[in-house]
Amino acid sequence: MLIDKMYINVAQLLKEPVGSSRRYQIDESLGTDDINSVKGEVTLIRTNRGIMVKGEMTAGVTVICSRCLKLIDYKVNYDFEEECLPSVSTSEALSLPDQTDNITIDESHMLDLSETIRQYTLLTIPAKPLCRPDCAGICPSCGHDLNQGPCQCPSHTYDRRWSKLVRLGKENKT
Ligand SMILES: [Zn+2]
Ligand SMILES: [Zn+2]
């Protein structure tokens, strides 16, 4: 079953016995925070306190290559597991200490997955993404994209000692 905007009505599931479950396919474009698309499957399982949400997701994000600074489309995969509790305005609910980090189910029994999925997606993006594993980066002097071939600057790849050896090597060859 395909869900709309990552809101799931769990009124029925909450009436069912512990252990009952439902599966949903997610195929959404978030259009925020450079997250282009989110696809995957979530399983909701009725627990004694609320509902356990397990997801296996693939998200498409736009990131900047840490070497050549080009915008790239990147795919991330992750699993998540969160328990969400019905939001009830009794003093009983307030006494639960770790409630704030969970997904909540609002008064109309709608469970909103978008924030959780957004956060997990952002957490999974690597700190230094690359457009490809062997990205050559840009020249630190002229800013030329070295993936499109070398620039006219003197070589930066070696420090001075090495460039001397390289020069000697080249001289020996000629
Ligand atoms: Zn790159
Ligand atoms: Zn250059």
Side-chain angles (χ1 to χ4, degrees):
M1 169 174 189
L2 209 62
I3 58 166
D4 182 38
K5 299 282 170 208
M6 285 187 256
Y7 284 97
I8 303 175
N9 190 323
V10 292
Q12 188 55 41
L13 187 57
L14 284 168
K15 287 178 197 154
E16 292 176 20
V18 172
S20 306
S21 66
R22 291 269 196 293
R23 266 183 189 196
Y24 299 90
Q25 301 297 322
I26 289 183
D27 190 349
E28 282 287 327
S29 50
L30 284 186
T32 54
D33 294 314
D34 301 324
I35 303 172
N36 305 321
S37 63
V38 181
K39 274 185 194 179
E41 188 175 85
V42 290
T43 308
L44 309 190
I45 304 156
R46 177 76 169 107
T47 63
N48 51 1
R49 295 203 305 172
I51 287 171
M52 179 65 84
V53 184
K54 292 184 181 187
E56 281 174 47
M57 313 302 302
T58 301
V61 293
T62 302
V63 292
I64 293 173
C65 173
S66 61
R67 284 193 202 149
C68 71
L69 311 180
K70 249 194 312 243
L71 282 175
I72 46 172
D73 290 325
Y74 207 84
K75 285 255 183 294
V76 293
N77 299 296
Y78 58 91
D79 296 346
F80 72 92
E81 200 173 299
E82 292 270 324
E83 188 176 19
C84 48
L85 309 171
S87 70
V88 271
S89 49
T90 61
S91 52
E92 200 187 323
L94 293 172
S95 67
L96 288 168
D98 59 348
Q99 224 201 67
T100 44
D101 288 338
N102 292 319
I103 317 164
T104 52
I105 303 164
D106 69 14
E107 302 77 39
S108 47
H109 307 294
M110 296 301 279
L111 186 145
D112 180 7
L113 286 175
S114 52
E115 180 60 19
T116 304
I117 286 176
R118 193 181 72 85
Q119 284 183 13
Y120 274 95
T121 303
L122 295 179
L123 277 175
T124 318
I125 298 173
K128 293 189 171 180
L130 294 175
C131 61
R132 58 181 210 221
D134 61 343
C135 172
I138 55 173
C139 168
S141 305
C142 72
H144 177 79
D145 182 354
L146 297 174
N147 293 312
Q148 287 160 14
C151 60
Q152 300 305 311
C153 303
S155 172
H156 324 281
T157 339
Y158 311 96
D159 70 13
R160 281 197 186 145
R161 274 171 306 153
W162 288 111
S163 64
K164 205 172 180 184
L165 287 175
V166 170
R167 220 176 296 136
L168 282 172
K170 277 180 189 161
E171 280 163 13
N172 287 346
K173 259 181 224 162
T174 50

